[in-house]
Amino acid sequence: MPLEIVRNDITRMEVDAIVNAANETLLGGGGVDGAIHRAAGPRLLEECRTLNGCETGQAKITRGYNLPCQYVIHTVGPIWKGGANGERKLLASCYRSSLALAKEYHCESVAFPLISSGVYGYPKAEALQVAMDEITRFLLENDMTVYIVVFTRDAVELGGKLYKEVVAYIDDVYVSEHYDPYREARRSARADGAPANGLFRRPHREDTARNETIFAESAMPAPVIGSTEPKASLDDMLSQVDESFGQMLLRKIDEKGLTDAACYKRANVDRRLFNKIKNNPAYRPSKQTALAFAIALELPMNEAKELLMKAGFALSHSNKEDIVVEYCIMTGNYNLIEINQVLFRLDLQPLGY
Ligand code: APR
């Protein structure tokens, strides 16, 4: 997945380069700066001494020494002074300068901390938004794997307004996979002396609250074994196999007037995976990938479900990732970055790959 938010200690990231949230002296400090210098060993400071500092918004590169990465890119974020002093512009410049250096040194993978969001006081949710915006912009034109490394304690401040709305929606609709509404209804109906095959009204939240799980079971016609319908021949059935996932995906890309690259970048899907889907009509992607394309293409619910079905999946209220995506499509929120922030905050699988 080109861009991923991960919970980790950045000094443990096995990538080509990690980014250090340094200060203008480049001579070390606390926070992530201190952690990186401790893990890299004294030779990092020796090399930093030769760099003659770094201006806020700029970046300089050194070797990684004892760290599991080849390079450390040192960048200096702005100190937060309320937001009216060009802080956003300077922070964006940190990400652009660091990514440009990573590209210059042919890095295929790079990990960022949330620059300026610790000692320098930049509000974390806003700091993450700047990071996601700049990294996404870079990835539209470049192939690289970028991680935003977040400390667990920081994660609680992420997710924003959408997070709160989604949590409320999950509370409303989430059905635990161990919950069998029909068994519950029969059980409670028997307990109330109702006939075993009586009609049940579909549970409503208030009913459930009153422990009245009652269902309306429409009189489903019993399946007729050996139906009188003429049996379609296997050839007929095979000839009706409609378009594959890949064929529908390419058709929707054309209908939306997108390029392939614009679509898979928006979906946070790796170019190689997209080519696999494009070149093999029988290829079936993961659910996260299928959902990511539904979001990237801004499909209405029925088309999103159709695309998902072609990958062999369906949306389910016993799957919290599905509920998050369902809520976002229902409310017209196709911002994959924001959706992945909420999924990250809920410790759920992000969309993309
Ligand atoms: N791995 C990942 N993230 C980390 C780690 C770590 N090991 N340590 C801290 N963080 C997180 C913090 O929780 C915060 O979200 O990195 C983010 C940046 O925090 P700081 O390290 O305080 O950096 P910043 O806010 O940019 O302040 C820079 O602090 O350490 C000094 O010398 C540094 O003067 C400079 C200032």
Side-chain angles (χ1 to χ4, degrees):
M1 192 150 87
L3 170 54
E4 197 167 347
I5 310 176
V6 294
R7 277 188 178 80
N8 202 344
D9 175 339
I10 200 165
T11 62
R12 296 205 183 108
M13 293 295 288
E14 295 183 12
V15 290
D16 292 340
I18 63 171
V19 176
N20 178 23
N23 58 57
E24 291 194 343
T25 68
L26 292 190
L27 299 181
V32 76
D33 197 3
I36 288 175
H37 275 276
R38 278 192 299 279
R43 289 177 295 167
L44 177 63
L45 183 57
E46 284 166 26
E47 186 175 354
C48 283
R49 284 206 174 96
T50 68
L51 298 178
N52 301 317
C54 180
E55 279 179 42
T56 298
Q58 299 306 306
K60 291 192 176 179
I61 195 167
T62 66
R63 290 173 51 207
Y65 299 103
N66 302 340
L67 286 159
C69 57
Q70 199 178 354
Y71 300 109
V72 178
I73 294 172
H74 307 265
T75 190
V76 182
I79 296 172
W80 178 256
K81 295 175 186 148
N85 299 276
E87 292 97 323
R88 190 192 193 294
K89 203 158 157 260
L90 283 169
L91 185 58
S93 172
C94 287
Y95 287 95
R96 278 201 303 276
S97 314
S98 302
L99 288 164
L101 262 181
K103 182 177 178 180
E104 184 186 331
Y105 280 71
H106 310 293
C107 295
E108 291 183 0
S109 55
V110 62
F112 283 92
L114 272 182
I115 299 164
S116 280
S117 71
V119 168
Y120 281 2
Y122 210 111
K124 289 196 193 306
E126 286 81 346
L128 178 61
Q129 194 58 55
V130 173
M132 302 287 265
D133 290 349
E134 288 309 315
I135 295 167
T136 303
R137 189 171 296 120
F138 173 84
L139 290 176
L140 284 175
E141 306 300 328
N142 299 277
D143 281 343
M144 195 182 283
T145 300
V146 182
Y147 298 95
I148 297 176
V149 184
V150 176
F151 255 0
T152 302
R153 68 168 178 267
D154 297 335
V156 296
E157 295 180 44
L158 306 179
K161 178 171 162 293
L162 178 60
Y163 171 75
K164 295 185 185 72
E165 292 170 2
V166 161
V167 166
Y169 187 63
I170 289 175
D171 285 348
D172 270 355
V173 303
Y174 176 61
V175 175
S176 154
E177 54 268 29
H178 308 301
Y179 172 75
D180 169 357
Y182 289 93
R183 191 185 67 231
E184 288 298 313
R186 285 194 297 276
R187 188 191 53 73
S188 59
R190 274 197 297 279
D192 302 341
N197 59 353
L199 276 181
F200 301 97
R201 191 163 46 78
R202 185 161 294 286
H204 293 283
R205 208 169 8 167
E206 51 285 3
D207 291 346
T208 311
R210 288 201 307 275
N211 266 333
E212 280 180 37
T213 49
I214 301 181
F215 281 81
E217 209 167 32
S218 58
M220 308 287 284
V224 177
I225 298 171
S227 159
T228 49
E229 287 290 311
K231 279 218 177 326
S233 72
L234 180 59
D235 288 349
D236 293 349
M237 289 171 76
L238 288 175
S239 69
Q240 287 164 24
V241 172
D242 53 10
E243 66 181 351
S244 68
F245 173 87
Q247 289 162 339
M248 180 176 175
L249 174 64
L250 295 175
R251 173 170 62 85
K252 297 309 290 182
I253 289 173
D254 291 343
E255 286 174 11
K256 299 281 180 180
L258 291 172
T259 62
D260 291 352
C263 180
Y264 66 73
K265 297 272 185 185
R266 262 195 209 174
N268 201 18
V269 169
D270 184 87
R271 175 171 46 85
R272 289 171 292 250
L273 174 55
F274 178 82
N275 288 335
K276 232 187 250 177
I277 295 170
K278 182 175 180 179
N279 300 328
N280 173 2
Y283 186 85
R284 286 188 161 189
S286 71
K287 192 173 194 177
Q288 276 67 32
T289 302
L291 286 172
F293 278 118
I295 294 292
L297 290 163
E298 301 191 0
L299 297 183
M301 188 63 80
N302 62 321
E303 291 184 359
K305 286 180 176 173
E306 185 188 354
L307 185 68
L308 201 56
M309 186 188 61
K310 291 180 187 303
F313 302 107
L315 287 176
S316 156
H317 277 177
S318 64
N319 179 312
K320 290 185 179 176
E321 285 91 345
D322 293 5
I323 296 172
V324 173
V325 172
E326 179 184 80
Y327 178 81
C328 292
I329 292 178
M330 279 184 350
T331 55
N333 183 333
Y334 290 98
N335 181 333
L336 190 94
I337 294 175
E338 200 181 359
I339 295 170
N340 273 347
Q341 275 185 47
V342 171
L343 290 169
F344 170 79
R345 173 78 190 278
L346 291 166
D347 224 4
L348 298 173
Q349 185 90 316
L351 302 185
Y353 282 107

